[in-house]
Amino acid sequence: MEDVDQTTPHPLITARLAAKMTMEELVAGIRAAAARRGLRSGTDEARVRKWQREAAQPSEESQVYIAEALGWSADIVRADDWPNWLPLTTDGVVPLGPHSSVPALREAFRTAMQRRTFLTISSAALSALASDWAALPADALAQAHDGQPIGEELLSFLENSARHLTGLATEQPQHTATLLDAHLATVTGLLEHGRYTPALARRLHTLAASLAQTVAWHRFDQGRHTHASQHWIAALHNAHAVGDHDMGAGLLSDLAYQAAWRHDHTTAATILNRALIRAENPAARCLLQLRLARTIAARHDPNDRHAVLRALAAAEQHLSDAGTDRPAWCSWISEADLAVDTGQALLDLGDTGRAHQLIAEGEALLPSARDKTRGVFLAYRAASYLDQKEPEPAATAATQSLLLARRIGAPRCISLVNDLLPRFQPYHRAQGVSELFQLAAA
């Protein structure tokens, strides 16, 4: 079996390039950090190269100097975890490029550290990432040139175990999050240090993308938005590595969904339009068009009406064309989603009668396995009734959503309902409203 060299740059190299620093500037920054303490550092380029080759490890003191030279505070240093604490980006987005999949995964893991929690990835950075994805060719797959060989049996076990974990009922994520994190860490380690054929590399990257996407949704449901973004970005890198354009489009769609959730509909629409450039599977294109229609409609611009209706018509046609051969990440897209999302878009356009009919039809079509989606839909329905100053049906829908969300452990649904509570205050005497307040306070 022929070995193909696939060298992942050392994190110190990646961090220096992300900071747009030359080797000379890094050395000068390290010496300056020591000088600010009245000390002298003997660091030179030769020593930095030894650190990059892992022929030597910097002392804890030197690691503090490195952090400051790169523009970060000393409190990010974890001397016992060199070089994994090193920041790989300045804006939170690892650029697409040769062998960027492992650095992107490592950056996602770093978001678990508190120093990254409040780093908000800018709209410009996400839009640029989407544009690069739409234009750049996938990298040629290779295999690591050192490390222990990875066998078929181990990879099959990881694939089957991950498939089982991600396929569990909606109520189970709170019990499986640690297992999913561990699986993703294992796959990342295999990609970084293992030896494998191009065929196994494809499966490893695909598995990493799937796991990272699932973890991202868990983080998103918990309101941990930076963590979710980083995992979706890491998944995008791995889907790009294997040239899976449909999955890449889906991951961009997830990032767009998050942007829309945060009311950044301009960024969401930009990302979705980039994703549509390469998406091919009809089911994938249906989901993209539905999300595009929703985010354009949510801008409440009368000039957008035709664009919304055009996207809805495209989504309906794509769903009609979609057969059973669908990517796993959008295999669930159905008439229920088409009806509810169309109804929600029509609500934003002011077509309330038809909208409520479609939303009710869609909810009735949802299987019990998708109760989390049902909870979100119910919260949307409550919001739409409030928009029409109809507090009684709004209270009924919000109560149903909250009860369902608590039963299955869906914090995102709970947050949706909690965010609606202030809007119920003017209607505290309306039927069902006081009961909703009591339930929310319990």
Side-chain angles (χ1 to χ4, degrees), residues 20-239:
K20 296 181 170 59
M21 297 179 71
T22 65
M23 176 73 82
E24 293 84 354
E25 289 169 336
L26 176 61
V27 170
I30 292 170
R31 291 177 175 175
R36 285 193 294 273
R37 293 167 170 81
L39 302 172
R40 181 182 179 278
S41 171
T43 300
D44 56 18
E45 292 186 26
R47 184 172 298 185
V48 173
R49 290 192 182 94
K50 282 187 178 181
W51 294 339
Q52 292 172 171
R53 293 197 307 271
E54 298 189 3
Q57 180 171 318
S59 66
E60 181 173 358
E61 186 179 66
S62 292
Q63 290 185 46
V64 169
Y65 301 160
I66 291 168
E68 292 186 1
L70 291 168
W72 293 82
S73 65
D75 63 7
I76 72 169
V77 174
R78 302 190 307 279
D80 59 346
D81 195 26
W82 171 266
N84 293 325
W85 61 262
L86 283 165
L88 303 183
T89 70
T90 55
D91 60 8
V93 177
V94 174
L96 285 170
H99 318 308
S100 63
S101 54
V102 169
L105 286 163
R106 290 296 181 199
E107 188 69 3
F109 292 136
R110 286 181 185 83
T111 63
M113 304 306 296
Q114 196 166 22
R115 69 180 180 84
R116 308 294 290 184
T117 301
F118 301 105
L119 172 64
T120 300
I121 299 174
S122 71
S123 299
L126 289 175
S127 297
L129 178 68
S131 295
D132 287 345
W133 174 85
L136 292 175
D139 298 320
L141 281 178
Q143 69 184 48
H145 71 285
D146 56 9
Q148 292 295 316
I150 298 170
E152 167 77 27
E153 185 176 1
L154 172 62
L155 183 51
S156 293
F157 166 77
L158 289 169
E159 288 171 332
N160 292 333
S161 181
R163 191 177 301 115
H164 183 67
L165 286 171
T166 56
L168 288 173
T170 305
E171 298 94 319
Q172 301 306 311
Q174 64 267 37
H175 306 304
T176 61
T178 302
L179 288 171
L180 287 164
D181 287 341
H183 274 63
L184 183 57
T186 299
V187 173
T188 301
L190 294 176
L191 280 167
E192 188 171 20
H193 302 298
R195 187 167 73 247
Y196 37 81
T197 64
L200 288 181
R202 174 173 290 277
R203 290 169 61 186
L204 281 166
H205 283 297
T206 300
L207 180 56
S210 176
L211 283 166
Q213 183 182 37
T214 301
V215 171
W217 275 108
H218 287 183
R219 299 293 192 274
F220 178 69
D221 285 340
Q222 295 162 357
R224 299 164 67 184
H225 288 285
T226 301
H227 298 178
S229 299
Q230 287 291 3
H231 280 85
W232 275 317
I233 290 169
L236 180 68
H237 279 260
N238 282 272

Side-chain angles (χ1 to χ4, degrees), residues 245-256:
H245 298 321
D246 281 325
M247 186 170 196
L251 291 160
L252 286 176
S253 173
D254 292 343
L255 285 164

Side-chain angles (χ1 to χ4, degrees), residues 302-349:
N303 296 322
D304 286 337
R305 182 178 182 86
H306 291 301
V308 173
L309 296 177
R310 186 165 56 248
L312 291 174
E316 185 174 11
Q317 183 59 55
H318 290 317
L319 184 61
S320 176
D321 294 339
T324 56
D325 183 21
R326 303 180 178 192
W329 56 267
C330 65
S331 60
W332 46 266
I333 194 75
S334 67
E335 294 288 346
D337 300 278
L338 179 65
V340 172
D341 282 335
T342 299
Q344 192 64 41
L346 292 179
L347 272 179
D348 287 328
L349 294 180

